[in-house]
Amino acid sequence: MALSAQDRLDITDLISRHGHLCDAGELERMDELFTSDIVLDVHDFGLGTLTGLDAIREASLAMGPANPVGHHVTNIVITGIDDHSARVRSKSLGVHADGTAGSATYDDDVARGADGWRITRRTIRARRTPLGGRTGAGPREVLDRFRTVVLEQSVEGLREVYAADAVQEFPFAFPGVPTRLEGRDAIVDWIAALWASSPLRFTGFRTLALHPTTAPDTIIVEQESLTTGGPAGDVALPNIMVFTARGGQIVHLRDYVNVLAAAEATGRELHAG
């Protein structure tokens, strides 16, 4: 069943209520917003992942005066999954006591329970570059766009972020997985098929190190790709990427995946020989 008009109104109220409760300091009412096992991903702000209502309350109190005095949530877009779950994207403008402001995006998973709609998972990403980094974007900005596209599982976003003649390589690939894909269409079709066939999805990226190279359009990224939905539950996949972007698009990506961690996340067995 699709979401009803009342469901959409209730979800919109839920997302809007967050700012009112936070700005009023009514942290004891967080259970009106989140499930008891809420996962709040704030890696983009260097704060890692917070799990549970108590962790969110404690983190908010620890921030003290650094908390915004106003959370203004707008541009709410609801995508129904079924009649008891949905994904929601919204924009947040945080205004601080000194008058400074910052923009962020909320990506929420919401579910209907006995007490109505609640947020089960929220990922907050800072908005730091205009036009999504598409104007005069260097490899770091394109990397941010690429990560967002992967988190959203946006096939259209893939077509925008890869150049027509892009090349993607997997030097440490599983048997049966291509080690090299040439051209945007081949890359996008392969990734889209993978998304469609697997329950595994990416929930965030933890940057361990980012190295410039002698080529200004190439960076080396050490990261952990955070996943959920696979047989092993939540798994962090270590990988290193050699990432080249020109004209705001990926032209070459060499992805050195940790095959053992990937096998754990997907439930695949590796056999020697």
Side-chain angles (χ1 to χ4, degrees):
M1 292 177 59
L3 296 177
S4 68
Q6 186 61 52
D7 287 330
R8 292 181 176 274
L9 287 172
D10 291 344
I11 292 170
T12 299
D13 283 349
L14 170 69
I15 303 302
S16 300
R17 195 181 310 132
H18 169 261
H20 292 285
L21 295 185
C22 286
D23 295 347
E26 297 184 75
L27 303 180
E28 71 281 358
R29 296 177 61 187
M30 289 295 100
D31 60 345
E32 296 178 26
L33 305 174
F34 304 118
T35 56
S36 60
D37 57 351
I38 173 67
V39 175
L40 180 63
D41 184 343
V42 280
H43 280 94
D44 209 22
F45 297 85
L47 300 175
T49 298
L50 305 175
T51 303
L53 296 172
D54 288 342
I56 293 176
R57 294 189 190 103
E58 290 168 7
S60 298
L61 292 172
M63 287 180 63
N67 282 286
V69 296
H71 291 77
H72 304 281
V73 181
T74 66
N75 304 76
I76 298 172
V77 178
I78 302 168
T79 302
I81 298 174
D82 49 40
D83 63 348
H84 59 272
S85 61
R87 292 194 178 101
V88 187
R89 165 162 278 205
S90 58
K91 292 184 176 296
S92 171
L93 180 67
V95 181
H96 295 268
D98 62 0
T100 59
S103 179
T105 299
Y106 292 159
D107 285 305
D108 297 328
D109 293 344
V110 300
R112 187 211 310 269
D115 296 323
W117 289 94
R118 295 292 187 272
I119 301 169
T120 63
R121 184 182 186 92
R122 166 167 284 184
T123 300
I124 307 178
R125 300 185 187 89
R127 306 301 301 174
R128 298 187 176 98
T129 56
L131 298 178
R134 296 184 186 184
T135 300
R140 298 190 187 202
E141 291 78 17
V142 178
L143 173 65
D144 287 341
R145 281 177 51 211
F146 173 67
R147 286 173 165 178
T148 298
V149 166
V150 171
L151 295 174
E152 294 174 351
Q153 291 197 347
S154 169
V155 175
E156 185 58 35
L158 287 175
R159 297 193 185 282
E160 293 177 359
V161 79
Y162 279 99
D165 58 351
V167 173
Q168 183 149 338
E169 296 179 278
F170 302 96
F172 301 152
F174 284 115
V177 173
T179 58
R180 181 181 175 92
L181 295 165
E182 297 185 6
R184 175 197 293 142
D185 290 344
I187 295 169
V188 172
D189 290 349
W190 184 79
I191 295 175
L194 193 64
W195 286 346
S197 64
S198 173
L200 189 76
R201 70 184 183 94
F202 292 90
T203 59
F205 298 92
R206 184 182 298 124
T207 301
L208 305 178
L210 197 155
H211 309 281
T213 69
T214 55
D217 55 10
T218 300
I219 56 176
I220 298 173
V221 186
E222 298 180 49
Q223 67 178 18
E224 289 181 341
S225 302
L226 310 178
T227 69
T228 193
D234 295 346
V235 176
L237 301 178
N239 69 309
I240 295 174
M241 295 194 301
V242 181
F243 190 95
T244 301
R246 299 188 195 102
Q249 292 181 307
I250 300 169
V251 296
H252 195 281
L253 197 165
R254 186 177 296 115
D255 191 352
Y256 294 88
V257 180
N258 183 315
V259 176
L260 294 178
E264 177 188 1
T266 58
R268 295 185 62 162
E269 293 186 7
L270 296 182
H271 301 282

